[in-house]
Amino acid sequence: MHDNCGDCPVNARVDSLAKEFDRYRDGSGKTHKEMFERLSALEQARASMETILESMDAKLDKLVGWREEQDDKPNKLLDKLKESSIWLVLAAVLGAAVGRLGL
């Protein structure tokens, strides 16, 4: 080889490879930037989705509580009717007893 090899085919190939490497490096930098932007968008979407799911969970808990309360209401009404009818029968028996005694 010559000491001053400005026109050597090896230099042309090295220069070509250096340019190609720079293109790949620039392209990979852009690709990485796009990937990180997508990851950031996904993280933001996930945070938003978690907020929505927490809100839905709270609403479902409230709805379940309301439903359980509604399920208990007929039982409360039935218990009140039973209690009232017992008092009514007791009052009728006492009234009949007092009536027979003449008071």
Side-chain angles (χ1 to χ4, degrees):
M1 279 192 140
H2 302 291
D3 288 336
N4 189 2
C5 188
D7 295 332
C8 291
V10 174
N11 280 346
R13 180 71 179 141
V14 168
D15 290 340
S16 172
L17 288 173
K19 289 177 186 176
E20 188 175 343
F21 179 76
D22 288 342
R23 271 192 325 212
Y24 284 126
R25 187 174 35 195
D26 291 342
S28 67
K30 290 176 186 175
T31 302
H32 285 119
K33 182 180 177 183
E34 289 174 4
M35 286 176 25
F36 287 124
E37 288 173 355
R38 288 180 183 174
L39 283 173
S40 177
L42 286 172
E43 288 172 349
Q44 290 174 356
R46 180 179 179 191
S48 175
M49 185 62 69
E50 285 178 357
T51 303
I52 291 169
L53 289 175
E54 287 172 2
S55 173
M56 288 173 63
D57 194 31
K59 289 177 183 178
L60 282 173
D61 288 342
K62 185 177 176 182
L63 182 61
V64 167
W66 176 82
R67 182 63 200 173
E68 289 173 351
E69 183 181 321
Q70 294 301 313
D71 287 344
D72 290 341
K73 278 187 178 179
N75 294 335
K76 288 180 183 178
L77 178 62
L78 186 59
D79 289 342
K80 251 187 167 185
L81 287 173
K82 286 178 185 177
E83 184 180 327
S84 296
S85 64
I86 290 171
W87 282 111
L88 182 64
V89 169
L90 185 60
V93 169
L94 285 175
V98 169
R100 286 201 180 227
L101 291 175
L103 293 175

